[in-house]
Amino acid sequence: MDHVTRRNALAERCADLEVDALLVSKLANVRYLTGFTGSSATALVGPAGSVFFTDGRYDEQSRHEVPDLPRVASMQDPAGAILEHARGLGVQRLGFERQAVTVAQFERWEERFEGLRLAGVGEEVERLRWTKDAEELGTLRSAQEATDRAFEDILDLLVVGITERQAAAQLELAMARHGADASSFDVIMAFGEHAAEPHHRPCHRALAEGDIIKMDFGALVDGYHTDMTRTVAFGEPVAELRKVHDVVAAAQQAGIDALRPGVRAADVDHASRSVIEDAGYGDRFTHGLGHGVGLEIHEGPSLRLDGDDIVPAGAVVTVEPGVYLPGLGGVRIEDAVQVGEDGPNPLGVSTRELIEL
Ligand code: ZN
Ligand code: ZN
């Protein structure tokens, strides 16, 4: 795991940010920079050196996970140790993650960090995380494989009378069977008219002939999330939903085709959305086109009309157009796609054609 390269990349940003070091406290970012998987940690990262701080519970775990950094594992508030190490590294101006720090934490640091000037910075580590390295891509592929296999399994288990909750539980079990550590997020399992809600919470609705089934799920492996949606028909679907499935599939393909290194995220959204608009369903596509996936289920770049993110080579983003028709149902098709130098590479292999069970 090349945490050193990642920390060096962040340390190089310090000059531009006009700070001597960054105090990283968002856990996904700490994990990215150090390999630590626990629930309490802070990392001080800068050109003069880096130090890892955690609490007493994680002394032993961090000894294994973070073998290459000076480590402080203490039952006391880490502020004192952070100040001491920052001084030792000659830090005067200390950056912190504006998006991740509460006002209370900031006030505590201001009180404790005597002689340091605190400077809020934006999503610097997140921005590095947009581009996945080979190891991250490998992990995402394993997670996607578990997701694809679980999808195959669930198709055999969808029978008349099974409830959304039961089917969601079966899907989670199938992901675990294929190597998932956990679900990336609560499975969305929506039957019939419930598929009109983009984020339906599975309930006791039982599956019946003629229902459309919308499933949004993903396996979590080694901290990396996957995210896939398929909409399948249970028996003969309503004619309009069959047509909508064709529209959404074409819109998704247009979005995937638009994914090139350096493209504006808003242009990718537009490429996909215009297919749905041309078909007359523009007002029924009520969310952004997609998002990055990795150590967080929703990260950057964000594919949305009103955003100004630029998609870098090596990003992995979802492309997930949807059309939702109240009372009738809805269709969403979602895949994670790696943005290669030569073009888009979807990670999954599950068919995007309408499956009729
Ligand atoms: Zn999803
Ligand atoms: Zn998604």
Side-chain angles (χ1 to χ4, degrees):
M1 279 184 224
D2 206 358
H3 300 115
V4 179
T5 306
R6 296 174 186 173
R7 289 196 297 269
N8 287 344
L10 183 63
E12 269 178 32
R13 293 283 304 134
C14 284
D16 275 353
L17 298 168
E18 300 181 329
V19 296
D20 301 312
L22 265 163
L23 192 56
V24 178
S25 53
K26 179 168 162 173
L27 284 170
N29 291 342
V30 173
R31 179 170 188 160
Y32 180 75
L33 296 167
T34 69
F36 179 69
T37 63
S39 67
S40 162
T42 313
L44 179 67
V45 178
S50 302
V51 186
F52 174 83
F53 306 88
T54 186
D55 68 47
R57 289 172 299 165
Y58 289 117
D59 188 10
E60 187 57 20
Q61 181 178 329
S62 64
R63 189 192 312 281
H64 302 298
E65 291 183 340
V66 194
D68 59 343
L69 280 182
R71 238 170 13 93
V72 177
S74 163
M75 294 201 303
Q76 285 165 8
D77 180 348
I82 292 170
L83 175 63
E84 191 184 311
H85 281 273
R87 280 180 177 158
L89 294 170
V91 174
Q92 293 179 338
R93 203 169 153 82
L94 179 62
F96 69 92
E97 299 177 291
R98 179 182 275 137
Q99 257 92 353
V101 173
T102 61
V103 174
Q105 178 69 71
F106 174 74
E107 287 173 352
R108 223 161 24 238
W109 281 344
E110 272 216 316
E111 202 181 294
R112 300 287 303 278
F113 291 168
E114 206 188 311
L116 291 186
R117 272 172 300 149
L118 283 169
V121 302
E123 299 183 301
E124 288 296 322
V125 187
E126 285 88 340
R127 187 66 188 72
L128 296 176
R129 284 171 40 206
W130 286 13
T131 301
K132 269 63 184 176
D133 61 32
E135 182 174 337
E136 293 183 287
L137 189 58
T139 307
L140 282 167
R141 285 190 193 285
S142 322
Q144 181 62 49
E145 199 179 313
T147 306
D148 281 323
R149 288 187 169 185
F151 177 61
E152 257 179 58
D153 287 5
I154 194 68
L155 295 178
D156 292 332
L157 299 168
L158 293 165
V159 292
V160 169
I162 192 172
T163 67
E164 290 172 346
R165 280 188 176 212
Q166 290 164 349
Q170 288 289 357
L171 195 43
E172 285 198 17
L173 181 62
M175 287 192 282
R177 201 159 44 230
H178 294 297
D181 297 332
S183 232
S184 285
F185 54 92
D186 288 343
V187 169
I188 295 172
M189 178 68 69
F191 296 163
E193 70 289 348
H194 288 170
E197 297 168 35
H199 272 199
H200 176 69
R201 181 186 291 272
C203 65
H204 299 287
R205 160 79 153 82
L207 185 60
E209 198 71 25
D211 278 344
I212 202 99
I213 303 169
K214 193 183 68 196
M215 298 171 259
D216 189 346
F217 60 105
L220 177 77
V221 171
D222 284 344
Y224 283 80
H225 300 74
T226 50
D227 193 2
M228 178 167 99
T229 307
R230 286 294 182 269
T231 308
V232 304
F234 192 68
E236 179 69 26
V238 178
E240 186 172 15
L241 288 174
R242 185 190 290 281
K243 178 183 147 200
V244 163
H245 193 280
D246 287 347
V247 170
V248 172
Q252 194 208 24
Q253 191 59 54
I256 293 172
D257 291 343
L259 275 174
R260 305 280 159 180
V263 71
R264 289 176 59 231
D267 291 344
V268 182
D269 183 301
H270 177 73
S272 179
R273 190 173 303 275
S274 56
V275 173
I276 290 174
E277 283 168 352
D278 291 349
Y281 292 105
D283 61 336
R284 308 305 334 155
F285 177 16
T286 49
H287 51 76
L289 182 65
H291 52 88
V293 280
L295 285 170
E296 291 175 280
I297 179 63
H298 292 126
E299 50 182 59
S302 181
L303 305 185
R304 42 188 310 136
L305 273 185
D306 60 353
D308 41 34
D309 291 348
I310 302 290
V311 182
V316 176
V317 293
T318 68
V319 179
E320 50 177 305
V323 168
Y324 310 94
L325 305 171
L328 199 59
V331 175
R332 179 166 67 251
I333 309 173
E334 171 179 30
D335 284 273
V337 181
Q338 190 245 4
V339 184
E341 291 285 358
D342 306 327
N345 307 303
L347 297 189
V349 296
S350 298
T351 182
R352 290 182 235 140
E353 304 272 307
L354 179 62
I355 293 173
E356 289 177 51
L357 298 172

